[in-house]
Amino acid sequence: MNTTLADIEIEQGSDNPYADLGFPDADEMLVKARLAHEIAQIIRSRRLTQQSAAGLLGMPQPKLSEMLRGKFRGISQTKMIECLNRLGRDVEIVVKKNNRSALGHTQVVVA
């Protein structure tokens, strides 16, 4: 049996793949994913090995490796922000009122 593209139902996803997959902590996971991505970009741009980066960040190399591969459930947002600070990045946290009466959300904006 041949399947064509016309036979496949395609659904538009949201901006959060974790929510699309039904994770209960989807917003937190997206924030951590974006923080981990930024940490990985800095490590790559500095051409650091995982071993040297782990030493700089104060974490075991296997834990860093897991974080860089998207396995960051055991790593707090606070630790990830500390990693960015150790990599020479300032992190600003801005709290503002949202325009709707719903719950607020957290996002990562890289400047």
Side-chain angles (χ1 to χ4, degrees), residues 21-60:
L21 293 170
F23 285 96
D25 55 351
D27 288 339
E28 179 182 358
M29 294 297 289
L30 183 61
V31 168
K32 286 183 175 184
R34 291 188 173 153
L35 292 171
H37 175 76
E38 187 61 22
I39 292 166
Q41 291 287 93
I42 297 165
I43 290 170
R44 193 174 308 118
S45 72
R46 289 192 182 179
R47 301 178 196 265
L48 297 172
T49 64
Q50 279 193 10
Q51 192 66 42
S52 63
L56 180 65
L57 300 178
M59 66 174 25

Side-chain angles (χ1 to χ4, degrees), residues 2-5 11 17 20 35 42 51 55 58 63 75 78 83 89 95 99 104 109-110:
N2 289 337
T3 302
T4 65
L5 196 53
E11 182 179 322
D20 294 343
L35 292 171
I42 297 165
Q51 192 66 42
K63 190 79 162 175
I75 301 172
T78 302
C83 288
R89 297 301 192 266
V95 179
N99 294 329
V109 178
V110 178

Side-chain angles (χ1 to χ4, degrees), residues 66-95:
E66 284 190 352
M67 180 179 70
L68 298 178
R69 290 182 294 132
K71 296 181 179 182
F72 34 71
R73 283 199 185 272
I75 301 172
S76 69
Q77 288 180 28
T78 302
K79 178 61 178 175
M80 296 173 96
I81 289 170
E82 178 188 317
C83 288
L84 287 165
N85 293 151
R86 288 176 175 233
L87 289 167
R89 297 301 192 266
D90 292 332
V91 177
E92 296 179 12
I93 299 173
V94 178
V95 179

